[in-house]
Amino acid sequence: MVFTVAIDGPAAAGKGTISRAVAAHFGFAHLDTGALYRAVGVKGGDPVEAARNLSPGDLERDDLRSLEAGQAASRVAALPGVRAALLDFQRRFARRAGGAVLDGRDIGTVICPEAEAKIFVTASAEVRARRRWLELGGAAGVRPLADVLAEVEERDARDRNRADAPLRPAADAVTLDTGALSADEAIARAIALVAARLGGRAR
Ligand code: DC
């Protein structure tokens, strides 16, 4: 069975948590496409070459989740050559047998417009910044909340305003605002939506 779940949205909206849970629930493979751009961003050298030569080890670096890696990812992600180098891998992953969940910015619009289920996960910049700040240690961490908010807003603006594959909901995506939801509630809604799409097709 080929069945793609496209989960897009801005930074720290909850895409990763929801995608992992949806994939585990349905037994689908999961690809965090942001990790590909993060790996290119932190690798250094020519980003297009880095994207062409990405190896599994590059995705295992333990600095990929830092704010700096997020910024570096957002910068290299604006380069058409980088996006082109990562396209085929993501498309093949999306249409692999057995079902796949991909989370990113352009899955439902560019990577897999034919995805059977599309969810656009969002929340206000303040809510998202607070979540990312807590992940980084909160008041005990090294980053003030205001810095994290500025980082989130800068990254959103770059991801939304780039010419190639900007962040935006696909016309046929369902928006899931996680601002007022617990993680469990957001996951339950996403699972219900995917189950409805799966139920509606002959298997
Ligand atoms: O989802 P994330 O925070 O790990 O993504 C890091 C950056 O990578 C994000 O700011 C923009 C870029 N990105 C992208 O352009 N397209 C994707 N499909 C995924 C991420």
Side-chain angles (χ1 to χ4, degrees):
M1 176 199 60
V2 170
F3 189 96
T4 309
V5 183
I7 301 194
D8 290 306
K15 300 184 301 291
T17 305
I18 293 172
S19 302
R20 282 189 296 275
V22 167
H25 182 88
F26 293 100
F28 293 169
H30 171 228
L31 180 64
D32 165 11
T33 65
L36 305 176
Y37 293 93
R38 286 172 183 265
V40 172
V42 298
K43 201 163 178 181
D46 174 22
V48 177
E49 278 309 304
R52 286 190 184 133
N53 298 307
L54 217 53
S55 69
D58 293 329
L59 301 173
E60 280 157 23
R61 288 174 61 142
D62 52 16
D63 56 353
L64 286 191
R65 300 303 313 161
S66 69
L67 292 187
E68 291 71 21
Q71 282 290 357
S74 171
R75 278 191 217 99
V76 297
L79 303 172
V82 167
R83 306 201 72 84
L86 299 175
L87 192 78
D88 278 354
F89 172 71
Q90 294 177 82
R91 282 208 171 137
R92 272 196 312 263
F93 193 99
R95 300 317 265 171
R96 65 198 275 151
V101 181
L102 288 83
D103 69 287
R105 302 291 186 288
D106 62 338
I107 309 303
T109 52
V110 174
I111 301 297
C112 193
E114 68 275 37
E116 284 75 13
K118 298 184 188 179
I119 307 178
F120 193 80
V121 182
T122 189
S124 71
E126 287 73 21
V127 164
R128 293 184 287 112
R130 194 167 182 83
R131 286 189 190 141
R132 187 49 55 86
W133 177 69
L134 289 172
E135 270 173 30
L136 295 167
V142 289
R143 309 301 288 247
L145 179 56
D147 276 18
V148 182
L149 177 60
E151 192 274 341
V152 161
E153 286 177 333
E154 186 187 338
R155 201 140 67 87
D156 284 356
R158 196 186 296 111
D159 295 346
R160 286 198 169 107
N161 295 323
R162 67 180 177 226
D164 193 12
L167 166 66
R168 62 175 176 82
D172 52 349
V174 174
T175 296
L176 180 59
D177 189 327
T178 63
L181 301 178
S182 68
D184 285 349
E185 287 165 339
I187 289 167
R189 288 195 196 188
I191 287 177
L193 198 138
V194 173
R197 296 282 195 276
L198 259 175
R201 49 181 266 150
R203 272 189 280 166

